[in-house]
Amino acid sequence: MAGDGDAPSDRLRERADQSRWKLWVLLEADRWLVAGIFLTLVFLVLAGTGYLYPTAENAIRTSDSVDTLFQGFLTATITGVTLVLTLNQLVLSQELGAVKDQRERMEGAMEFRADVAEVIQSAVSPSRPAQFLRALVEVSGERAEELREAVSESDDGEVASEIADLTDSLVENASGVSAGLDDARFGRFDVISSALNFNYSWKIFTARRIREQYGDDLDEEGTDALDRLIEVLQLFGPAREHFKTLYFQWELINLSRQILVASVPALLVSAVMIIFFNDATYSATVFGVETLVLVMAVAATVAVVPFLILLAYVMRIATVTQHTLSIGPFILRETDDVTEVEWNRDS
């Protein structure tokens, strides 16, 4: 590792190497806003194409496209609702279990909370996810400062430079993430968003590499400070993955409820268009302009609302999953910013 310029960025936006607007749509934006943008685009494309294409109205009147289209929507909506109910049952099944299983989950959770409480030197660990993560982040920043102070000027220059790069990056990163978690509430994406900006994988990798490569060059105080830093960083990974899993369950429950609500008007519109609407005789006008194309665009847009809500939520869940596939010091993305580790190839 050379210097700060060779370290991967701490912010997800910069590590992902994607445009700001793309990540905003995929992650940060409210899901109803994203669904609303998609709905607006669908409506504008359908209405614009219908009015700009000269024979569009005649094609609607002389074919069975209306029945065919909305029969497809009706079938897709019913199938989608069935899949959502199945998904809901899958999420709920993870919360069901025998007393023994629930007790083991409880014991595991309490053991982990006790480990965190010991590390952050508190009687009990915080109960709220944002404050729990914030405590680990702040303690990691404090231990980075302790490590920096433990490495004296008389130590080997290369070791001091490596540790300075690590600790400077960690303290700055911890400060920014802690501020983001300050007022964050679970159920909103800001908890996971802030946690994703703590690049603990690279920090564990770097700290362990320094420990193995330069352990003999550090005094007892420096070695102990480095081990204490690694300890708290290793607790952050499971904590973030646990709260990410809970957040996904929370979002999938919200998704199921919203799709079930949106499916009612979608089913009614599709059924009305199939049973009652007669495109051959429809002749309503507004300010002298035929409204057949407009009616079709509105009806089709309402019919695709459940799908677009599903799309908006799955985009975020899939993006978060992609960037958190690995737990621990594994870096899956292609990057030249990480020092390769050499090993003994002799047989």
Side-chain angles (χ1 to χ4, degrees), residues 118-266:
E118 181 179 356
V119 167
I120 66 176
Q121 297 181 345
S122 173
V124 292
S125 55
S127 59
R128 295 186 177 182
Q131 299 308 312
F132 191 94
L133 293 174
R134 186 186 179 193
L136 288 173
V137 169
E138 290 184 347
V139 170
S140 68
E142 294 170 359
R143 293 194 175 181
E145 292 178 345
E146 293 173 1
L147 173 61
R148 183 166 52 192
E149 295 172 358
V151 179
S152 65
E153 295 295 334
S154 61
D155 287 327
D156 181 84
E158 185 176 358
V159 179
S161 175
E162 294 261 9
I163 291 179
D165 291 340
L166 171 63
T167 55
D168 290 346
S169 170
L170 203 156
V171 169
E172 181 181 357
N173 190 198
S175 176
V177 173
S178 177
L181 289 169
D182 188 17
D183 297 323
R185 293 176 55 188
F186 185 77
R188 299 176 181 175
F189 184 65
D190 47 2
V191 175
I192 302 301
S193 177
S194 297
L196 290 175
N197 286 327
F198 191 64
N199 189 10
Y200 80 97
S201 296
W202 174 79
K203 293 172 175 59
I204 292 178
F205 166 77
T206 304
R208 293 182 69 246
R209 186 178 60 80
I210 292 174
R211 180 69 173 84
E212 297 301 321
Q213 189 170 351
Y214 302 109
D216 295 337
D217 299 325
L218 295 173
D219 57 20
E220 183 177 352
E221 182 182 3
T223 301
D224 181 64
L226 184 58
D227 289 339
R228 282 164 51 81
L229 175 60
I230 294 174
E231 178 186 25
V232 67
L233 289 174
Q234 288 177 338
L235 287 174
F236 181 84
R240 190 188 74 175
E241 293 304 303
H242 175 64
F243 293 131
K244 183 190 75 174
T245 300
L246 294 179
Y247 173 76
F248 281 173
Q249 292 177 333
W250 183 287
E251 285 287 82
L252 290 173
I253 291 171
N254 285 336
L255 171 63
S256 301
R257 183 165 55 241
Q258 291 168 9
I259 288 183
L260 290 175
V261 172
S263 65
V264 175

Side-chain angles (χ1 to χ4, degrees), residues 42-60 289-290 292-294 296-297:
V42 169
F43 172 75
L44 291 178
V45 169
L46 291 176
T49 303
Y51 281 112
L52 293 176
Y53 192 60
T55 61
E57 184 176 324
N58 183 62
I60 294 173
V289 179
E290 287 286 346
L292 176 61
V293 170
L294 183 62
M296 293 296 298

Side-chain angles (χ1 to χ4, degrees), residues 19-74:
S19 71
R20 177 179 179 180
W21 287 107
K22 181 178 179 181
L23 279 180
W24 180 80
V25 172
L26 291 175
L27 292 175
E28 303 294 341
D30 182 86
R31 295 300 91 186
W32 277 104
L33 175 60
V34 174
I37 293 173
F38 289 156
L39 285 170
T40 302
L41 290 175
V42 169
F43 172 75
L44 291 178
V45 169
L46 291 176
T49 303
Y51 281 112
L52 293 176
Y53 192 60
T55 61
E57 184 176 324
N58 183 62
I60 294 173
R61 295 185 185 279
T62 58
S63 67
D64 60 350
S65 58
V66 174
D67 287 345
T68 302
L69 175 65
F70 286 97
Q71 283 175 0
F73 282 148
L74 188 65

